[in-house]
Amino acid sequence: MIWPLVVIALVIFREAWARWNERPEIAATLMLVVGAVGLVANAVSARVLARGGAEQNLNARGAMLHVLGDLAGSVAAVLAALVIMATGWTVIDAWLGLAISLWIIPRSLRLAASALRVL
């Protein structure tokens, strides 16, 4: 569960970098809808995991980190969509993608270090 998070963060970073350079057209309305649905789903998942004591073991912490990363991505998608709809400034998508990946990577590595200490 730990290393896929790092890989996902690196893929997000790569995609954000590509969007920074290419500036593709973005369907902001669809982005807003999908981001909002993801936000609700991930918020519910995070709440369920938090009630289950996600800090009790590494597996639960990994699951919580994964859900929080998805939740942050959903928040970023909603924010980016709103900014794009209001201003047309599409580079916000790349900025927020980079921010999310840089938020996930150190947390994933800390979790991996905890797992290695257990081993």
Side-chain angles (χ1 to χ4, degrees):
M1 185 69 137
I2 297 162
W3 294 113
L5 289 172
V6 173
V7 171
I8 289 168
L10 291 173
V11 169
I12 292 169
F13 186 89
R14 186 193 68 195
E15 289 299 315
W17 187 261
R19 285 180 177 256
W20 179 277
N21 293 321
E22 295 171 15
R23 308 262 172 100
E25 187 174 323
I26 296 174
T29 302
L30 178 60
M31 183 179 186
L32 179 62
V33 170
V34 172
V37 170
L39 180 65
V40 170
N42 289 309
V44 169
S45 296
R47 186 173 174 101
V48 168
L49 283 170
R51 273 197 245 144
E55 294 299 318
Q56 293 177 356
N57 64 58
L58 285 174
N59 191 37
R61 283 177 41 207
M64 180 61 103
L65 179 59
H66 188 103
V67 169
L68 290 177
D70 288 348
L71 181 63
S74 295
V75 168
V78 168
L79 288 175
L82 292 172
V83 168
I84 292 166
M85 291 169 80
T87 67
W89 192 51
T90 59
V91 76
I92 187 70
D93 183 44
W95 275 107
L96 292 175
L98 290 170
I100 296 301
S101 68
L102 294 174
W103 181 83
I104 293 171
I105 290 171
R107 285 155 184 81
S108 299
L109 294 175
R110 272 198 302 270
L111 188 60
S114 295
L116 291 173
R117 280 193 295 276
V118 169
L119 295 174

